[in-house]
Amino acid sequence: MTDPAITDDVIAAHGFTPEEYAEVNTILGRAPNYTEMGIFSAMWNEHCSYKSSKKWLRTLPTTGPQVICGPGENAGVVDIGDGQALVFKMESHNHPSYIEPYQGAATGVGGILRDVFTMGARPIASMNSLSFGRPDHPKTRQLVHGVVAGVGGYGNCFGVPCAGGEVRFDTAYDGNCLVNAFAAGLADADKIFYSAASGIGMPVVYLGAKTGRDGVGGATMASAEFDDTIEEKRPTVQVGDPFTEKRLMEATLELMATGAVISIQDMGAAGLTCSAVEMGDKGGLGVKLNLEAVPQREENMTAYEMMLSESQERMLMVLKPELEAEARAVFEKWDLDFAIVGETLPEDRFLITHNGEVKADLPLSKLASTAPEYDRPWVETPAADPLGDVAGVDPIDGLKALISDPNYAAKNWVFEQYDTMVMADSARTPGIGAGIIRIHGTDKSIAFTSDVTPRYVKANPVEGGKQAVAESYRNLTAVGATPLATTDNMNFGNPEKPEIMGQFVGAIKGIGEAVSALDMPIVSGNVSLYNETDGAAILPTPTIGAVGLIAHPDDIIGSEVREGHVVLVLGDTTGHLGQSALLAAVHGRIEGDAPPVDLAAEKTHGDFIRANRALIKACTDLSDGGLALAAFELAEAAGVGVTLDTDDTAQLFGEDQARYLIACNFDQAEALMIAAGRAGVPLTTVGKFGGSEVSFGTTSAPLADLSAIYRGTFADTFA
């Protein structure tokens, strides 16, 4: 098959700027052939190279005594004591999920699970953060059904519990949904596997499923805006097989126990190209690949197609040659392909042959560590105009407006499609706050949460970035966990627009300040840019996935709201309504500044909660919807009414930060007030739980009526 001619249209279709293509010619001292251009395109696109974001990502705090491995590997690793480590990461599969919702979401789950078990960890938990357009948009229903089914279909078949997540809706996502997938796994701290190749002349081994034409060009597609040619991009979406992935995991973990693995890498974006280049570059070695040895499930595949295919359930490994027989036997037992497809080279070279013909001969380091890096122009997001007057609302009407909005209604329709109990170690399942997974055979548990408030980030990227971290800190704290570390998924529009790049820079600054102040370093992450359709960008959405450690079951703060419990609020309430859920849901206004985040107060209040957890029966942080929504959610989950002493709109629905709602017995409340006085933290009694009504000041409504709205809204909208 003859390669296509290299025309200006072909160059543009591969995502090159004229300057980048000229640089490729300079590096090679000649024009690239078609396969070489595809390889450069895959490695230099935004999705793989992070060329617009590396400058700013380097500013994030990534180290700490708990960190075993920070960013740069397949996933981050933190120490959880007793010789055990938690391996975790969050990644996006946004563009594929908009084009083909089921397979896009499913393969996003599959990819993040491979990132975890490639490090030698057995997955124990998953989460997902999903953002869709407005509920009445003609495409939203299809996307919601497809994405939720894809997440559940892959995760349920693979057999990993969903510990939590979030679902949001906004018109800014009408043309570009977001699917952020998180996975975490457990490993022995001294048995972590890395991707840097070592040794010269070592066999490079292909593992897993066969290579097809699905996903060819996927990474390049993920680095471009959408337009009216979107349907033409459908073939760039991969197709997943969770049962093959399950076998691949078992085979990989068994392979690792043989001692045959020198290094190992998941084949994700850009498939064979990216995995081989990254392994070689990290080890300072070259790589030769013989493509005729690559297992294929389609006939007459070209070198270009094999190098850029993103077929799922595949790995690449550098093997100790003396243990080849043992390694091969493992994969044959699991009915998976095991093929030696190349070797490591001493020189800086990426050499690709096919049927005895050289298809690519490139300097490997120029594809990875010395790929282009940009310092994009950026402008600071202007300060938000002050919020004008906000008319008071009947507090029950305000609550009804929130719980009848799919953003704030119960998400049971989503969570119930995911297996949350598989492996039998789930101590707290999705719903309110962080999920909890027990570490089997120990007293320890891990808490998981995913958080961001995009409207805050758009109004004030620095404070919005801080708030995403602070809310994750509070969600972990509210279940009794000590926050350990974070992973970030930076979803933004076109970085070539200075205002979009300014959002990214501001969010990075805020996130960096917060993870430093709260001792939650970033250990892994993902950047997804060009989330735009016809020039309209998504809301800036820097999702924070966070994990925390609970040393003993007695340390877990439950959700035992009961008749007669006192309602207390830890933290100062000024009634901040700028960018609030109430302002949008009742008044249709997106105005004002994001709430300021006092990181010192966040830390102090979190420490107070953990120090006094024995006195607390239930706890949740105050965020969207403020006190009113948080109190209702705790009451509704327990089936008991709640009475709050005020009907003031700002006091009930303000979204001031560094606040927790606490429920406990009267004597425990007295003890907490004494402890708060000693610690110098603001703690106020605001009401009580009990009865069958939700009462705010002098207005009330039956809990049963409100519960029907809260639990019925999402299903009524999408089922």
Side-chain angles (χ1 to χ4, degrees):
M1 184 181 294
T2 304
D3 284 340
I6 309 297
T7 64
D8 288 345
D9 287 345
V10 169
I11 294 167
H14 280 77
F16 287 109
T17 65
E19 295 78 14
E20 287 172 340
Y21 185 68
E23 178 64 16
V24 170
N25 282 260
T26 300
I27 289 170
L28 298 180
R30 58 176 171 82
N33 64 36
Y34 190 69
T35 299
E36 290 173 331
M37 189 172 67
I39 291 170
F40 265 105
S41 169
M43 293 306 301
W44 281 17
N45 67 61
E46 195 71 56
H47 192 74
C48 292
S49 72
Y50 286 27
K51 58 191 175 186
S52 297
S53 58
K54 282 190 288 191
K55 168 186 168 69
W56 297 102
L57 295 176
R58 292 191 192 101
T59 66
L60 289 170
T62 60
T63 60
Q66 70 273 46
V67 178
I68 294 173
C69 176
E73 275 293 338
N74 287 295
V77 187
V78 293
D79 190 341
I80 60 170
D82 306 313
Q84 293 180 308
L86 190 75
V87 179
F88 67 98
K89 189 181 184 182
M90 179 175 272
E91 277 203 344
S92 61
H93 230 222
N94 303 335
H95 283 46
S97 298
Y98 188 78
I99 297 168
E100 181 56 61
Y102 185 94
Q103 291 296 347
T107 52
V109 174
I112 200 65
L113 288 168
R114 285 195 305 282
D115 281 338
V116 167
F117 68 74
T118 302
M119 301 285 290
R122 181 173 291 275
I124 62 167
S126 67
M127 292 192 296
N128 52 89
S129 177
L130 311 177
S131 303
F132 300 103
R134 65 185 189 275
D136 60 353
H137 186 274
K139 195 170 174 69
T140 298
R141 180 183 171 87
Q142 173 209 355
L143 289 171
V144 170
H145 276 262
V147 166
V148 170
V151 169
Y154 205 103
N156 296 352
C157 292
F158 181 87
V160 63
C162 178
E166 51 188 345
V167 185
R168 70 179 57 82
F169 301 88
D170 191 276
T171 187
Y173 304 106
D174 282 350
N176 201 129
C177 65
L178 302 183
V179 175
N180 295 173
F182 170 101
L186 191 65
D188 291 338
D190 60 351
K191 294 177 183 174
I192 305 297
F193 287 81
Y194 299 99
S195 59
S198 63
I200 296 169
M202 295 293 107
V204 176
V205 183
Y206 175 113
L207 306 168
K210 297 183 189 300
T211 294
R213 290 187 172 94
D214 53 322
V216 173
T220 300
M221 173 273 293
S223 302
E225 295 181 35
F226 284 152
D227 54 30
D228 57 9
T229 65
I230 185 171
E231 285 301 316
E232 299 172 14
K233 297 179 171 67
R234 191 174 299 275
T236 64
V237 179
Q238 313 94 320
V239 177
D241 179 353
F243 298 107
T244 297
E245 177 115 333
K246 178 70 169 177
R247 288 186 289 124
L248 179 61
M249 179 192 72
E250 297 295 349
T252 300
L253 296 178
E254 189 174 330
L255 172 72
M256 290 168 169
T258 69
V261 178
I262 294 175
S263 63
I264 191 164
Q265 175 78 37
D266 162 45
M267 283 196 221
L272 190 54
T273 288
C274 192
S275 55
V277 167
E278 289 191 356
M279 289 175 74
D281 189 58
K282 289 174 184 176
L285 296 171
V287 174
K288 177 183 178 181
L289 297 178
N290 305 309
L291 297 186
E292 61 269 21
V294 171
Q296 300 161 55
R297 56 179 159 83
E298 299 187 44
E299 294 182 355
N300 302 317
M301 289 190 70
T302 65
Y304 180 96
E305 290 169 333
M306 281 187 275
M307 292 305 297
L308 298 185
S309 168
E310 295 183 6
S311 295
Q312 296 293 285
E313 293 87 42
R314 302 180 302 158
M315 318 273 271
L316 200 64
M317 171 183 73
V318 177
L319 169 74
K320 293 179 182 177
E322 67 274 16
L323 294 175
E324 178 189 340
E326 291 92 330
R328 185 183 297 275
V330 169
F331 271 72
E332 288 178 349
K333 182 184 82 170
W334 288 99
D335 195 23
L336 294 164
D337 279 293
F338 179 101
I340 295 176
V341 296
E343 63 180 320
T344 57
L345 303 174
E347 65 268 22
D348 180 18
R349 190 180 188 192
F350 193 39
L351 178 62
I352 310 300
T353 65
H354 189 207
N355 297 326
E357 183 181 346
V358 173
K359 290 295 185 179
D361 194 350
L362 306 169
L364 187 143
S365 65
K366 295 296 184 183
L367 298 168
S369 57
T370 55
E373 181 177 333
Y374 296 133
D375 185 2
R376 300 277 191 197
W378 60 280
V379 294
E380 191 170 325
T381 301
D385 292 331
L387 178 63
D389 291 339
V390 178
V393 299
D394 177 282
I396 296 297
D397 289 344
L399 179 63
K400 287 180 178 178
L402 293 179
I403 61 177
S404 61
D405 182 329
N407 276 298
Y408 311 111
K411 305 300 191 300
N412 299 64
W413 183 87
V414 176
F415 298 144
E416 288 168 4
Q417 296 186 55
Y418 305 151
D419 193 333
T420 60
M421 299 301 293
V422 63
M423 300 171 70
D425 281 316
S426 300
R428 185 162 172 168
T429 54
I432 301 175
I436 302 174
I437 303 293
R438 292 181 291 266
I439 302 301
H440 199 74
T442 76
D443 286 333
K444 296 178 296 192
S445 300
I446 303 293
F448 299 92
T449 188
S450 168
D451 298 288
V452 65
T453 309
R455 64 183 185 275
Y456 291 171
V457 186
K458 185 175 183 181
N460 188 328
V462 175
E463 292 302 313
K466 287 183 192 174
Q467 193 275 340
V469 177
E471 185 172 348
S472 68
Y473 174 87
R474 293 197 300 272
N475 278 331
L476 296 175
T477 297
V479 298
T482 300
L484 281 179
T486 51
T487 179
D488 60 347
N489 203 151
M490 307 293 290
N491 307 274
F492 289 79
N494 185 342
E496 297 167 45
K497 298 177 180 178
E499 65 275 15
I500 299 293
M501 196 64 204
Q503 293 174 347
F504 181 87
V505 172
I508 286 283
K509 289 180 176 178
I511 290 168
E513 287 181 40
V515 298
S516 178
L518 302 176
D519 193 22
M520 299 168 67
I522 299 279
V523 299
S524 59
N526 171 248
V527 177
S528 175
L529 303 177
Y530 295 95
N531 288 290
E532 299 197 6
T533 297
D534 295 327
I538 61 162
L539 291 176
T541 311
T543 310
I544 297 295
V547 301
L549 178 65
I550 302 173
H552 192 275
D554 292 345
D555 292 338
I556 295 175
I557 299 174
S559 52
E560 307 168 23
V561 172
R562 293 179 184 169
E563 185 84 22
H565 274 173
V566 179
V567 185
L568 302 101
V569 170
L570 173 64
D572 289 316
T573 300
T574 63
H576 185 98
L577 289 173
Q579 298 297 325
S580 66
L582 181 88
L583 191 68
V586 173
H587 299 284
R589 294 162 56 185
I590 309 294
E591 297 175 20
D593 201 355
V597 179
D598 183 337
L599 293 170
E602 294 281 5
K603 183 73 166 62
T604 299
H605 296 175
D607 289 344
F608 179 83
I609 293 287
R610 284 186 294 276
N612 294 280
R613 69 184 97 201
L615 299 172
I616 300 171
K617 291 298 183 183
C619 184
T620 185
D621 87 305
L622 300 192
S623 50
D624 285 327
L627 171 61
L629 186 57
F632 167 77
E633 287 177 340
L634 277 186
E636 197 277 338
V640 263
V642 63
T643 298
L644 299 180
D645 299 332
T646 181
D647 60 5
D648 181 77
T649 298
Q651 294 291 305
L652 286 170
F653 297 99
E655 296 180 6
D656 307 285
Q657 300 296 294
R659 296 189 303 156
Y660 298 83
L661 185 153
I662 296 168
C664 59
N665 297 322
F666 182 80
D667 56 340
Q668 294 166 327
E670 285 190 317
L672 278 171
M673 295 295 286
I674 293 169
R678 290 172 179 163
V681 298
L683 184 67
T684 309
T685 303
V686 295
K688 65 178 181 180
F689 288 101
S692 60
E693 301 273 317
V694 173
S695 300
F696 299 151
T698 58
T699 62
S700 63
L703 175 64
D705 293 352
L706 297 173
S707 180
I709 297 170
Y710 179 63
R711 293 193 173 267
T713 289
F714 207 99
D716 290 347
T717 305
F718 295 108

